[in-house]
């Protein structure tokens, strides 16, 4: 047996991640949880509104407010993670219809209450509005999650819209990283926009959300939509579903951080 270190490949993290994935899969099997299923009876029992997880979350009352003012945008965001009532709790007005759709779909699947209002320099282009809204959303999410102690922390979920199917694997790691194989920029029609938002800025908004949310996210496009909006919505749905379960309190952790280091802050 021989071991060869290839420069640039961090073997430690590969092995560590593999064992973490195995342990999570084993726990889900014991719980009877199928992560490829939107919401099963076993998931309702463990994570639903009658579960201990949900009740513990209510006690935390996690939320946050971000007000972000620059010469280019004025943004107000208010987020409540716990004790929300789903689709009744959204006020999303970014000035971009595509971004509104993405954020609303994500918040609905994450089962959070979210107000996000932006006045930006759209007479120039969609750059500053797209980027700054995503930055504010990531910041308020990271603020609401706090130390992340006692949380489930990791999850994967699948979202679909029309022909599009996208899978998101998420870790509230405090080590931000986004990898994605979304084919939006390589679409056969050569389109540069999804609705009123450029494809380039949608990709940048995703990155800004992940970086400021301090999370690790892998996005896999299993099947492209018959139009670009289907892929955008499928991504939002998968992202929101993964976030909901990552942010859920796991009573079995008894308030301890899901890390062998005991903290995610260093």
């Amino acid at each position: 047996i021989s071991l060869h270190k290839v420069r640039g490949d961090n073997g430690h993290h590969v092995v560590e991640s593999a064992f973490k994935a195995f342990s999570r899969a084993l726990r889900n099997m014991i719980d009877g949880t199928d992560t490829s299923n939107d919401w099963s009876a076993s998931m309702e029992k463990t994570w639903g509104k009658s579960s201990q997880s949900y009740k513990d979350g209510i006690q935390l009352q996690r939320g946050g407010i971000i007000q972000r003012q620059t010469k280019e945008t004025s943004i107000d965001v208010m987020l409540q993670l716990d004790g929300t009532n789903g689709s009744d709790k959204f006020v999303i007005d970014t000035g971009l219809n595509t971004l509104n759709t993405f954020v609303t779909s994500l918040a609905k699947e994450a089962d959070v209450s979210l107000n996000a209002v932006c006045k930006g320099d759209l007479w120039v282009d969609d750059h500053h509005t797209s980027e700054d809204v995503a930055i504010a959303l990531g910041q308020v999410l990271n603020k609401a999650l706090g130390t992340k102690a006692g949380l489930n922390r990791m999850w994967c979920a699948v979202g679909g819209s029309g022909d599009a199917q996208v899978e998101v694997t998420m870790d509230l790691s405090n080590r931000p990283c986004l990898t994605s194989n979304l084919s939006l920029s390589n679409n056969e029609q050569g389109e540069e926009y999804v609705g009123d938002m450029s494809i380039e800025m949608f990709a940048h908004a995703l990155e800004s959300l992940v970086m400021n949310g301090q999370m690790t996210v892998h996005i896999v496009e299993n099947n492209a939509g018959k139009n670009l909006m289907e892929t955008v919505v499928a991504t939002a749905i998968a992202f929101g579903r993964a976030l909901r379960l990552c942010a859920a309190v796991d009573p079995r952790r008894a308030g301890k951080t899901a890390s062998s280091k005991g903290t995610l802050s260093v």
Side-chain angles (χ1 to χ4, degrees):
I1 299 175
S2 62
L3 178 64
H4 299 275
K5 176 73 162 71
V6 179
R7 186 172 298 278
D9 291 345
N10 193 322
H12 168 79
H13 287 156
V14 171
V15 173
E16 181 182 31
S17 297
F19 275 96
K20 283 181 178 178
F22 176 81
S23 65
R24 287 298 176 124
L26 177 62
R27 195 182 78 181
N28 284 333
M29 184 187 73
I30 293 171
D31 290 343
T33 300
D34 179 5
T35 57
S36 65
N37 193 340
D38 173 19
W39 198 259
S40 62
S42 63
M43 289 178 71
E44 179 64 29
K45 180 180 178 182
T46 307
W47 310 109
K49 294 191 185 298
S50 61
S51 68
Q52 189 60 48
S53 168
Y54 185 81
K55 294 173 184 175
D56 289 351
I58 292 289
Q59 294 297 316
L60 294 177
Q61 283 297 299
R62 296 168 294 174
I65 296 174
I66 292 288
Q67 294 178 315
R68 194 174 191 275
Q69 305 283 336
T70 71
K71 292 181 179 180
E72 300 157 342
T73 58
S74 174
I75 301 173
D76 290 285
V77 178
M78 181 171 64
L79 172 69
Q80 185 67 36
L81 292 178
D82 306 294
T84 66
N85 192 26
S87 59
D88 299 339
K89 302 273 186 173
F90 308 128
V91 178
I92 311 297
D93 183 9
T94 67
L96 292 168
N97 292 329
T98 298
L99 189 55
N100 289 347
T101 298
F102 177 80
V103 174
T104 300
S105 299
L106 191 161
K108 180 179 178 183
E109 294 298 331
D111 196 29
V112 300
S113 174
L114 178 65
N115 290 2
V117 177
C118 174
K119 300 296 182 185
D121 58 356
L122 292 173
W123 59 88
V124 177
D125 58 21
D126 59 342
H127 183 136
H128 299 136
T129 294
S130 303
E131 179 181 42
D132 292 0
V133 167
I135 289 173
L137 289 173
Q139 288 175 342
V140 78
L141 178 61
N142 191 48
K143 182 178 181 179
L145 289 169
T147 65
K148 303 178 178 72
L151 305 190
N152 196 32
R153 182 182 158 182
M154 308 171 199
W155 202 260
C156 61
V158 176
S161 176
D163 292 344
Q165 187 187 73
V166 173
E167 181 176 350
V168 168
T169 302
M170 182 181 295
D171 180 0
L172 303 180
S173 61
N174 278 5
R175 291 167 176 78
C177 174
L178 172 66
T179 60
S180 167
N181 75 337
L182 291 178
S183 63
L184 293 171
S185 61
N186 301 317
N187 66 87
E188 295 179 356
Q189 295 75 27
E191 296 180 28
E192 296 184 5
Y193 280 80
V194 187
D196 58 355
M197 186 176 184
S198 65
I199 292 173
E200 177 186 9
M201 287 317 305
F202 176 74
H204 186 50
L206 274 177
E207 183 178 26
S208 297
L209 173 60
V210 169
M211 294 297 129
N212 287 275
Q214 294 288 297
M215 58 182 71
T216 301
V217 176
H218 300 287
I219 301 176
V220 178
E221 181 184 288
N222 294 327
N223 197 57
K226 60 179 176 290
N227 58 61
L228 301 183
M229 185 58 77
E230 286 187 353
T231 301
V232 166
V233 172
T235 302
I237 290 172
F239 198 108
R241 288 175 179 173
L243 177 59
R244 177 179 181 178
L245 273 298
C246 285
V249 177
D250 187 346
R252 292 168 290 196
R253 296 200 177 277
K256 296 184 190 249
T257 302
S259 170
S260 58
K261 294 185 291 293
T263 180
L264 295 174
S265 61
V266 295

